[in-house]
Amino acid sequence: MTGPLAVALVALGAAVGAPLRYLADRLVQARHDTLFPWGTFTVNVAGSALLGFLAALPADPAVMTGAGVGFCGALTTYSTFSYETLRLAQDRARFVAVANVVASVAGALGAGVCGFALARALIG
């Protein structure tokens, strides 16, 4: 899907996803007094699960554009994941930095697979 409608759908999805990412990140992180960036981890895993779910549904370009690209793209955050990992390494919390990389990559990929499998099971 391309054109003005696609841009509008991405913008609409992102307008919901970005504030939700911020609020979810703050809510989760406030409940954990650790160095590990639980808020970013949570939104990235949740967004990956949702995107996997959407990817398994029958193709609807408008849904994938608005919800997949716009919402999931704004909900998840690779840049914050990278920044937090580098910050942990610079602060000499190398074990936590490595744990963040391993858990985030494995968690997001696993969540995407689970979301995909769930949608396939539901639609048959």
Side-chain angles (χ1 to χ4, degrees):
M1 172 174 242
T2 59
L5 178 58
V7 172
L9 290 171
V10 169
L12 182 61
V16 175
L20 183 60
R21 175 186 71 215
Y22 175 78
L23 293 172
D25 176 66
R26 296 294 90 209
L27 180 70
V28 170
Q29 201 59 43
R31 290 176 169 25
H32 297 280
D33 188 24
T34 67
L35 290 176
F36 191 86
W38 286 108
T40 300
F41 175 81
T42 301
V43 296
N44 285 344
V45 169
S48 295
L50 178 58
L51 189 57
F53 186 89
L54 293 171
L57 298 178
D60 182 341
V63 170
M64 274 309 276
T65 301
V69 176
F71 179 78
C72 290
L75 178 65
T76 60
T77 172
Y78 192 75
S79 58
T80 303
F81 159 73
S82 300
Y83 167 77
E84 289 171 344
T85 302
L86 290 172
R87 184 184 46 97
L88 287 166
Q90 289 172 342
D91 291 346
R92 301 197 187 282
R94 289 186 178 95
F95 176 80
V96 179
V98 170
N100 185 39
V101 170
V102 172
S104 293
V105 171
L109 287 173
V113 169
C114 288
F116 190 90
L118 176 62
R120 287 291 182 192
L122 292 173
I123 63 174

